[in-house]
Amino acid sequence: MRTTVEFPSEGALLRGFLYLPVTPDPHPCVVMAHGTSATISMAIDCYAEAFAAAGFAVLLYDHRNFGVSDGEPRQQINPWVQARGYRDAISYLLTRPDISHDLIAIWGFSYSGMQTLLLGAIDNRVRAVIAQCPVCGSQKPRTEPSDTLFNNILATFDRGDVSSTAETTTGPLPVVSFDQMGAPSLLKGIQAFRWFIEYGGRHGSNWHNSVTRIIPPTPVPFSPYLAAPFVRSDLLMMVGKADEMIHCNAEVARATFDLVPGTKEYIEIDGGHLGAMYHPGEHFERAAQVQIDFLRRRLRIHSSKNSI
């Protein structure tokens, strides 16, 4: 069963779908949002349907400023604001009696995968994290993690000023472009161009080939590497082999994973950054099944009757 839902976050209403399995409630739940500029109908809904068929509730929503969600300025990405959206999605779930409040996982891909890693450290309501091809950086930060830096991350997330400046704003510009000389874009790879233009951004997706990215001048950067030693949630990090995105450096992703202290799993998948975001497809099927198995282990769903 899929219903439309909305909840407040950062002065706007975020909208999406809540999938509820046909089993007795309360249900363990997976909270899902997409990566850079993408919307809920761009392959991520296929993951949501697979998770729901496996017995999980799923809250799938568009980030603030994108898709069916409210928020201005449109098409603007702010990592702190989007991470607060995950926080507010969880708060919404805690108002529902049909959701198991202590069995909540969060799922993110690429830029939102970066956000789920941070949430796994700062939100103790999160039981498990799935970070698929997360943005961990083109290189490690110049400083190493510390209690002081993490306390600054907590303070910035909770109540810090995350507004932009002209110097920390990129765009508006195209999300993807085939001509990096004439019309440079935020995402450079031809693989990203093909996915957005030929597959993901199909009619009805509410996707626009325009984006503004802001990196607020906060006391500490939004960095999963700096938060990794403080992750308290169980973690599945799924990394694409030969990931072509510059900010998904495999060495930085592995270094981030190695710093996580608790229960964790590191899986490599074929297809680069976007291979598992094509449905139907063998890379999607493998990724979804690995993730379902992880969720069953971490959220205590043991039945194997349903699979993708």
Side-chain angles (χ1 to χ4, degrees), residues 65-260:
N65 308 332
F66 290 90
V68 296
S69 289
D70 288 341
E72 297 287 345
R74 300 303 293 172
Q75 314 305 124
Q76 185 186 83
I77 296 173
N78 182 325
W80 296 99
V81 169
Q82 291 189 344
R84 289 171 179 176
Y86 274 102
R87 174 198 64 192
D88 297 332
I90 295 170
S91 296
Y92 164 72
L93 290 175
L94 297 187
T95 70
R96 299 187 60 103
D98 50 1
I99 299 299
S100 295
H101 296 171
D102 60 341
L103 295 176
I104 293 174
I106 54 176
W107 185 102
F109 167 70
S110 192
Y111 207 63
S112 64
M114 171 185 73
Q115 295 156 20
T116 62
L117 288 169
L118 202 81
L119 263 290
I122 64 182
D123 194 326
N124 60 15
R125 302 171 299 177
V126 176
R127 174 65 66 87
V129 169
I130 296 176
Q132 181 170 320
C133 299
V135 169
C136 292
S138 58
Q139 57 187 6
K140 293 195 300 183
R142 296 178 181 177
T143 56
E144 287 298 309
S146 69
D147 290 343
T148 299
L149 287 176
F150 184 64
N151 287 334
N152 282 332
I153 290 174
L154 288 173
T156 302
F157 178 78
D158 286 340
R159 58 189 178 275
D161 180 2
V162 296
S163 57
S164 62
T165 65
E167 294 75 19
T168 60
T169 299
T170 302
L173 75 169
V175 179
V176 292
S177 171
F178 72 93
D179 181 9
Q180 293 302 316
M181 296 297 292
S185 57
L186 184 66
L187 305 179
K188 308 298 185 185
I190 191 63
Q191 299 89 344
F193 175 83
R194 295 190 63 182
W195 186 83
F196 276 100
I197 300 300
E198 299 175 4
Y199 174 79
R202 293 169 291 184
H203 176 71
S205 67
N206 286 314
W207 177 73
H208 299 274
N209 192 16
S210 176
V211 69
T212 300
R213 183 184 66 189
I214 66 174
I215 306 296
T218 51
V220 63
F222 194 106
S223 169
Y225 181 82
L226 296 179
F230 305 93
V231 170
R232 292 168 288 181
S233 308
D234 297 341
L235 170 64
L236 171 62
M237 182 183 287
M238 183 168 279
V239 176
K241 294 180 182 177
D243 193 312
E244 60 276 8
M245 296 297 178
I246 188 172
H247 293 289
C248 294
N249 184 315
E251 293 182 1
V252 180
R254 183 70 208 203
T256 300
F257 176 83
D258 288 343
L259 288 175
V260 174

Side-chain angles (χ1 to χ4, degrees), residues 262-275:
T263 302
K264 57 186 179 180
E265 302 176 31
Y266 187 92
I267 302 291
E268 289 187 320
I269 55 172
D270 293 321
H273 192 72
L274 289 156

